[in-house]
Structure formats: C-alpha cells, structure tokens
Coordinates of all heavy atoms in Angstrom, one line a residue:
M554 N 313.1 153.9 40.6 CA 313.0 153.9 39.1 C 313.9 152.8 38.6 O 315.1 152.7 39.0 CB 313.3 155.2 38.5 CG 313.2 155.2 37.0 SD 313.6 156.8 36.2 CE 312.7 158.0 37.1
K555 N 313.5 152.1 37.6 CA 314.3 151.1 37.0 C 315.5 151.8 36.2 O 315.3 152.8 35.7 CB 313.5 150.2 36.0 CG 312.5 149.4 36.7 CD 311.6 148.6 35.7 CE 312.5 147.5 35.2 NZ 311.7 146.5 34.4
K556 N 316.6 151.1 36.2 CA 317.8 151.7 35.6 C 317.6 151.8 34.1 O 318.1 152.8 33.4 CB 319.1 150.9 35.9 CG 319.0 149.5 35.5 CD 320.2 148.7 36.1 CE 320.0 147.2 35.9 NZ 321.0 146.4 36.6
E557 N 316.8 151.0 33.5 CA 316.5 151.1 32.0 C 315.7 152.4 31.7 O 316.0 153.1 30.8 CB 315.7 149.9 31.5 CG 316.5 148.6 31.5 CD 316.6 147.8 32.8 OE1 316.0 148.3 33.8 OE2 317.2 146.8 32.9
H558 N 314.7 152.7 32.6 CA 313.9 153.9 32.4 C 314.8 155.1 32.7 O 314.7 156.1 31.9 CB 312.8 153.9 33.4 CG 311.8 152.8 33.1 ND1 310.7 152.5 34.0 CD2 311.7 151.8 32.2 CE1 310.0 151.5 33.5 NE2 310.6 151.1 32.4
S559 N 315.7 155.0 33.7 CA 316.6 156.1 34.0 C 317.5 156.4 32.8 O 317.8 157.6 32.5 CB 317.3 155.8 35.3 OG 318.2 156.9 35.6
L560 N 318.0 155.4 32.2 CA 318.9 155.5 31.1 C 318.2 156.2 29.9 O 318.7 157.2 29.3 CB 319.4 154.2 30.6 CG 320.2 154.2 29.3 CD1 321.5 155.0 29.4 CD2 320.5 152.8 28.8
I561 N 317.0 155.8 29.6 CA 316.2 156.5 28.5 C 316.0 157.9 28.8 O 316.2 158.8 28.0 CB 314.9 155.7 28.3 CG1 315.2 154.3 27.7 CG2 314.0 156.5 27.3 CD1 314.0 153.4 27.7
L562 N 315.5 158.2 30.0 CA 315.2 159.6 30.4 C 316.5 160.5 30.3 O 316.4 161.6 29.9 CB 314.6 159.7 31.8 CG 313.2 159.1 31.9 CD1 312.7 159.1 33.3 CD2 312.2 159.9 31.0
K563 N 317.6 160.0 30.8 CA 318.8 160.8 30.8 C 319.4 160.9 29.4 O 320.0 161.9 29.1 CB 319.8 160.2 31.8 CG 319.5 160.4 33.2 CD 320.5 159.8 34.1 CE 320.2 159.8 35.6 NZ 319.1 160.5 36.1
A564 N 319.3 159.9 28.6 CA 319.9 159.9 27.3 C 319.2 160.9 26.3 O 319.9 161.5 25.5 CB 319.8 158.5 26.7
V565 N 317.9 161.1 26.5 CA 317.2 162.0 25.6 C 317.3 163.4 26.0 O 316.9 164.3 25.2 CB 315.7 161.6 25.4 CG1 315.6 160.2 24.9 CG2 315.0 161.7 26.7
L566 N 318.0 163.7 27.1 CA 318.2 165.1 27.5 C 319.1 165.8 26.5 O 320.1 165.3 26.1 CB 318.8 165.2 28.9 CG 317.9 164.8 30.0 CD1 318.7 164.8 31.3 CD2 316.7 165.8 30.1
Q567 N 318.8 167.1 26.1 CA 319.6 167.8 25.2 C 320.9 168.3 25.8 O 322.0 168.2 25.3 CB 318.9 168.9 24.5 CG 317.9 168.3 23.5 CD 317.2 169.5 22.7 OE1 317.5 170.6 22.9 NE2 316.4 169.1 21.7
N568 N 320.7 169.0 27.0 CA 321.8 169.6 27.7 C 322.1 168.9 29.0 O 321.4 169.1 29.9 CB 321.5 171.1 28.0 CG 321.3 171.9 26.7 OD1 322.1 171.7 25.7 ND2 320.3 172.7 26.7
K569 N 323.1 168.0 28.9 CA 323.3 167.1 30.1 C 324.4 167.8 30.9 O 325.4 168.3 30.4 CB 323.8 165.8 29.6 CG 322.7 165.0 28.9 CD 323.4 163.6 28.4 CE 322.5 163.0 27.5 NZ 322.3 163.6 26.2
S570 N 324.3 167.7 32.2 CA 325.3 168.1 33.1 C 326.4 167.0 33.2 O 326.1 165.8 32.8 CB 324.8 168.4 34.5 OG 324.3 167.2 35.1
E571 N 327.5 167.3 33.8 CA 328.6 166.3 34.0 C 328.1 165.2 34.9 O 328.4 164.0 34.7 CB 329.8 166.9 34.6 CG 330.6 167.7 33.6 CD 331.2 166.9 32.5 OE1 331.6 165.8 32.7 OE2 331.1 167.4 31.3
K572 N 327.3 165.5 35.9 CA 326.7 164.5 36.8 C 325.8 163.5 36.0 O 325.9 162.3 36.2 CB 325.9 165.2 37.9 CG 325.3 164.2 38.8 CD 324.4 164.9 39.9 CE 323.7 163.9 40.8 NZ 322.7 164.5 41.6
E573 N 325.0 164.0 35.1 CA 324.1 163.2 34.3 C 324.9 162.3 33.3 O 324.6 161.1 33.1 CB 323.1 164.0 33.5 CG 322.1 164.7 34.4 CD 321.3 165.8 33.8 OE1 321.8 166.4 32.8 OE2 320.2 166.1 34.3
I574 N 326.0 162.8 32.8 CA 326.8 162.0 31.9 C 327.5 160.9 32.7 O 327.5 159.7 32.2 CB 327.9 162.9 31.2 CG1 327.2 163.8 30.3 CG2 329.0 162.0 30.5 CD1 328.1 164.9 29.7
R575 N 328.0 161.2 33.9 CA 328.5 160.1 34.7 C 327.5 159.1 35.1 O 327.8 157.9 35.2 CB 329.2 160.7 36.0 CG 330.5 161.4 35.7 CD 331.2 161.8 37.0 NE 330.4 162.5 38.0 CZ 330.3 163.8 38.1 NH1 330.9 164.6 37.2 NH2 329.5 164.4 39.0
E576 N 326.3 159.5 35.4 CA 325.2 158.6 35.8 C 324.9 157.7 34.6 O 324.6 156.5 34.8 CB 324.0 159.3 36.2 CG 324.1 160.0 37.5 CD 322.9 160.9 37.9 OE1 322.0 161.1 37.1 OE2 323.0 161.4 39.0
I577 N 324.9 158.2 33.4 CA 324.6 157.4 32.2 C 325.8 156.3 32.0 O 325.5 155.2 31.8 CB 324.5 158.3 30.9 CG1 323.3 159.1 30.9 CG2 324.6 157.4 29.6 CD1 323.2 160.1 29.8
D578 N 327.0 156.8 32.2 CA 328.1 155.8 32.2 C 328.0 154.7 33.2 O 328.2 153.5 32.9 CB 329.5 156.5 32.4 CG 329.9 157.4 31.2 OD1 329.5 157.0 30.1 OD2 330.6 158.4 31.4
K579 N 327.6 155.1 34.4 CA 327.4 154.1 35.5 C 326.3 153.1 35.1 O 326.4 151.9 35.3 CB 327.1 154.8 36.8 CG 327.0 153.8 37.9 CD 326.7 154.6 39.2 CE 326.5 153.6 40.4 NZ 326.2 154.3 41.6
I580 N 325.2 153.6 34.6 CA 324.1 152.7 34.2 C 324.5 151.8 33.0 O 324.2 150.6 33.1 CB 322.8 153.6 33.7 CG1 322.3 154.4 34.9 CG2 321.8 152.7 33.1 CD1 321.3 155.4 34.6
L581 N 325.2 152.3 32.1 CA 325.6 151.5 30.9 C 326.6 150.4 31.3 O 326.7 149.4 30.7 CB 326.3 152.4 29.8 CG 325.3 153.2 29.0 CD1 326.0 154.2 28.1 CD2 324.4 152.3 28.2
D582 N 327.4 150.6 32.4 CA 328.3 149.6 32.9 C 327.6 148.5 33.7 O 328.2 147.5 34.0 CB 329.4 150.3 33.8 CG 330.3 151.1 33.0 OD1 330.5 150.8 31.8 OD2 330.9 152.0 33.6
S583 N 326.3 148.7 34.1 CA 325.6 147.7 34.8 C 324.9 146.7 33.8 O 324.9 146.9 32.6 CB 324.5 148.4 35.7 OG 323.5 149.0 34.9
N584 N 324.3 145.7 34.4 CA 323.6 144.7 33.6 C 322.2 145.3 33.2 O 321.3 145.4 34.1 CB 323.5 143.4 34.3 CG 322.9 142.3 33.5 OD1 322.9 142.4 32.3 ND2 322.5 141.2 34.2
L585 N 321.9 145.5 31.9 CA 320.7 146.1 31.5 C 319.8 145.2 30.7 O 320.4 144.3 30.0 CB 320.9 147.4 30.6 CG 321.6 148.6 31.3 CD1 322.0 149.6 30.3 CD2 320.6 149.2 32.3
D586 N 318.5 145.3 30.8 CA 317.6 144.6 29.9 C 317.4 145.4 28.6 O 316.5 146.2 28.6 CB 316.3 144.4 30.7 CG 315.3 143.6 29.9 OD1 315.6 143.1 28.8 OD2 314.2 143.4 30.4
W587 N 318.2 145.0 27.6 CA 318.2 145.8 26.4 C 316.9 145.5 25.6 O 316.5 146.4 24.8 CB 319.4 145.5 25.5 CG 320.6 146.1 26.1 CD1 321.6 145.5 26.9 CD2 321.0 147.5 26.0 NE1 322.5 146.5 27.3 CE2 322.2 147.7 26.7 CE3 320.4 148.6 25.4 CZ2 322.8 148.9 26.8 CZ3 321.0 149.8 25.5 CH2 322.2 150.0 26.2
I588 N 316.2 144.4 25.9 CA 314.9 144.1 25.2 C 313.9 145.1 25.7 O 313.1 145.7 24.9 CB 314.5 142.7 25.5 CG1 315.5 141.7 25.0 CG2 313.1 142.4 24.9 CD1 315.7 141.6 23.5
E589 N 313.9 145.4 27.0 CA 313.0 146.4 27.5 C 313.3 147.8 27.0 O 312.4 148.6 26.6 CB 313.0 146.4 29.1 CG 312.1 147.4 29.7 CD 312.0 147.4 31.2 OE1 312.6 146.5 31.8 OE2 311.3 148.2 31.7
I590 N 314.6 148.2 26.9 CA 314.9 149.5 26.4 C 314.5 149.6 24.9 O 314.0 150.6 24.5 CB 316.5 149.7 26.6 CG1 316.8 149.8 28.0 CG2 316.9 150.9 25.8 CD1 318.3 149.7 28.3
A591 N 314.8 148.6 24.2 CA 314.4 148.6 22.8 C 312.8 148.7 22.6 O 312.3 149.4 21.8 CB 314.9 147.3 22.0
G592 N 312.1 148.0 23.5 CA 310.6 148.0 23.4 C 310.1 149.4 23.7 O 309.2 149.9 23.0
I593 N 310.7 150.1 24.7 CA 310.2 151.4 25.1 C 310.6 152.4 24.0 O 309.8 153.2 23.6 CB 310.9 151.8 26.4 CG1 310.3 151.0 27.6 CG2 310.6 153.3 26.7 CD1 311.0 151.2 28.9
A594 N 311.9 152.2 23.5 CA 312.3 153.1 22.4 C 311.5 153.0 21.1 O 311.1 154.0 20.5 CB 313.8 152.8 22.1
L595 N 311.1 151.8 20.8 CA 310.3 151.6 19.6 C 308.8 152.1 19.8 O 308.3 152.7 18.9 CB 310.3 150.1 19.2 CG 311.5 149.6 18.6 CD1 311.5 148.1 18.4 CD2 311.8 150.2 17.2
N596 N 308.3 151.8 21.0 CA 306.9 152.2 21.3 C 306.8 153.7 21.3 O 305.7 154.2 20.8 CB 306.5 151.6 22.6 CG 305.0 151.7 22.9 OD1 304.2 151.6 22.0 ND2 304.7 152.1 24.1
H597 N 307.8 154.4 21.8 CA 307.7 155.8 21.9 C 308.5 156.6 20.9 O 308.6 157.8 20.9 CB 308.1 156.2 23.3 CG 307.2 155.7 24.4 ND1 306.0 156.3 24.7 CD2 307.4 154.7 25.3 CE1 305.4 155.6 25.7 NE2 306.3 154.6 26.1
R598 N 309.0 155.8 19.9 CA 309.8 156.4 18.8 C 310.9 157.2 19.3 O 311.1 158.4 18.8 CB 308.9 157.1 17.9 CG 307.8 156.3 17.2 CD 306.9 157.0 16.4 NE 305.8 156.1 15.9 CZ 305.2 156.3 14.8 NH1 305.4 157.3 14.0 NH2 304.2 155.5 14.4
L599 N 311.7 156.7 20.2 CA 312.8 157.4 20.8 C 314.2 156.9 20.4 O 315.2 157.4 20.9 CB 312.7 157.4 22.4 CG 311.5 158.1 23.0 CD1 311.5 157.8 24.5 CD2 311.6 159.6 22.7
G600 N 314.2 155.9 19.6 CA 315.5 155.2 19.2 C 316.6 156.2 18.8 O 317.7 156.2 19.3
G601 N 316.3 157.1 17.9 CA 317.2 158.1 17.4 C 317.7 159.0 18.4 O 318.8 159.4 18.5
Y602 N 316.7 159.5 19.3 CA 317.0 160.4 20.3 C 318.0 159.8 21.4 O 318.9 160.4 21.9 CB 315.8 160.9 21.0 CG 314.9 161.7 20.1 CD1 313.7 161.2 19.6 CD2 315.2 163.0 19.8 CE1 312.9 162.0 18.8 CE2 314.4 163.8 19.0 CZ 313.2 163.3 18.5 OH 312.5 164.1 17.7
I603 N 317.7 158.5 21.7 CA 318.6 157.8 22.6 C 320.0 157.7 22.1 O 320.9 158.0 22.7 CB 318.0 156.4 23.0 CG1 316.6 156.6 23.8 CG2 319.0 155.6 23.8 CD1 315.9 155.3 24.0
Y604 N 320.1 157.2 20.8 CA 321.4 157.0 20.3 C 322.2 158.3 20.1 O 323.3 158.4 20.4 CB 321.2 156.3 18.9 CG 322.5 155.9 18.3 CD1 323.2 154.7 18.8 CD2 323.1 156.6 17.3 CE1 324.4 154.3 18.3 CE2 324.3 156.2 16.7 CZ 325.0 155.1 17.2 OH 326.2 154.7 16.7
K605 N 321.5 159.3 19.6 CA 322.2 160.6 19.4 C 322.5 161.3 20.7 O 323.4 162.2 20.8 CB 321.4 161.5 18.5 CG 321.3 161.0 17.0 CD 322.6 161.2 16.4 CE 322.5 160.8 14.9 NZ 323.8 160.9 14.2
G606 N 321.8 161.0 21.7 CA 322.0 161.6 23.0 C 323.1 161.0 23.8 O 323.6 161.6 24.8
L607 N 323.7 159.9 23.3 CA 324.9 159.3 24.0 C 326.1 159.8 23.2 O 326.1 159.9 22.0 CB 324.8 157.8 23.9 CG 323.5 157.2 24.6 CD1 323.5 155.7 24.4 CD2 323.5 157.6 26.1
N608 N 327.2 159.9 24.0 CA 328.5 160.2 23.3 C 329.1 159.0 22.7 O 328.6 157.9 22.9 CB 329.5 161.0 24.3 CG 329.8 160.1 25.5 OD1 330.0 158.9 25.4 ND2 330.0 160.8 26.6
T609 N 330.2 159.1 22.0 CA 330.7 158.0 21.2 C 331.1 156.8 22.2 O 330.9 155.7 21.8 CB 332.0 158.4 20.4 OG1 331.6 159.6 19.7 CG2 332.5 157.3 19.5
S610 N 331.8 157.1 23.3 CA 332.2 156.0 24.2 C 330.9 155.3 24.8 O 331.0 154.1 25.0 CB 333.1 156.5 25.3 OG 332.4 157.4 26.1
Q611 N 329.9 156.1 25.0 CA 328.6 155.5 25.6 C 328.0 154.6 24.5 O 327.4 153.5 24.8 CB 327.7 156.5 26.1 CG 328.2 157.3 27.3 CD 327.4 158.5 27.6 OE1 326.7 159.1 26.8 NE2 327.5 158.9 28.9
Q612 N 328.0 155.1 23.2 CA 327.4 154.3 22.1 C 328.1 153.0 22.0 O 327.4 152.0 21.6 CB 327.4 155.1 20.8 CG 326.5 156.3 20.8 CD 326.7 157.1 19.6 OE1 327.6 156.9 18.8 NE2 325.9 158.2 19.5
K613 N 329.4 152.9 22.2 CA 330.1 151.7 22.1 C 329.8 150.6 23.1 O 330.0 149.4 23.0 CB 331.6 152.0 22.1 CG 332.1 152.7 20.9 CD 333.6 153.0 21.0 CE 334.0 153.7 19.7 NZ 335.4 154.1 19.8
K614 N 329.2 151.1 24.2 CA 328.8 150.2 25.3 C 327.4 149.5 25.0 O 327.0 148.6 25.7 CB 328.7 150.9 26.6 CG 330.0 151.4 27.1 CD 329.8 152.2 28.4 CE 331.2 152.7 28.9 NZ 331.0 153.5 30.2
M615 N 326.7 150.0 24.0 CA 325.5 149.4 23.6 C 325.7 148.2 22.8 O 326.7 148.1 22.1 CB 324.7 150.4 22.8 CG 324.2 151.6 23.5 SD 323.5 152.9 22.4 CE 322.1 152.0 21.8
P616 N 324.8 147.2 22.9 CA 324.9 146.0 22.0 C 324.8 146.4 20.5 O 324.1 147.3 20.2 CB 323.8 145.1 22.4 CG 323.3 145.6 23.7 CD 323.7 147.1 23.8
T617 N 325.6 145.7 19.7 CA 325.6 146.1 18.3 C 324.2 145.8 17.6 O 323.8 146.6 16.7 CB 326.6 145.2 17.5 OG1 326.4 143.9 17.7 CG2 328.0 145.6 18.0
H618 N 323.4 144.9 18.1 CA 322.1 144.6 17.5 C 321.1 145.7 17.9 O 320.0 145.7 17.3 CB 321.6 143.2 17.9 CG 321.4 143.0 19.4 ND1 322.4 142.6 20.2 CD2 320.3 143.2 20.1 CE1 322.0 142.6 21.4 NE2 320.7 142.9 21.4
F619 N 321.4 146.5 18.9 CA 320.5 147.6 19.3 C 320.6 148.7 18.3 O 319.7 149.3 17.9 CB 320.8 148.0 20.7 CG 319.8 149.0 21.2 CD1 318.5 148.5 21.6 CD2 320.1 150.3 21.4 CE1 317.6 149.4 22.1 CE2 319.1 151.2 21.9 CZ 317.9 150.7 22.3

C-alpha cells in the first residue's frame, strides 16, 4: 500500500493505538506526495477528518498550504 493511502487510513481512525500513532509519525517524516493526499481528501471529503485525526505535532509536519 502506498504511504499516502496508509497515512489517510490511519489518520481518520478515531481510537488510535500507540503503534498507529508511531506509524503516522514515521509516514509524516518520509517524503510524501501531498498533491495525491489532497486529491484523495477532497474527492472523498476527508480533509477535516484527516486534520482533526492528527495530534498537534503531527499537524505541524503538514505543509502549510495543505
């Protein structure tokens, strides 16, 4: 599975385990295609769920234009 897809799926989870939080951190530290993430989020109307599903430190790793 592409890391962009994995990030979206893990970010929208309501109750995340510590393992899932660490996986999100690892994905965010890698080189991501934010255009693809934005496209999927807009197409499926998940933008708010993705943003709210990330903690504050994870949100800071996102590009400001996203």
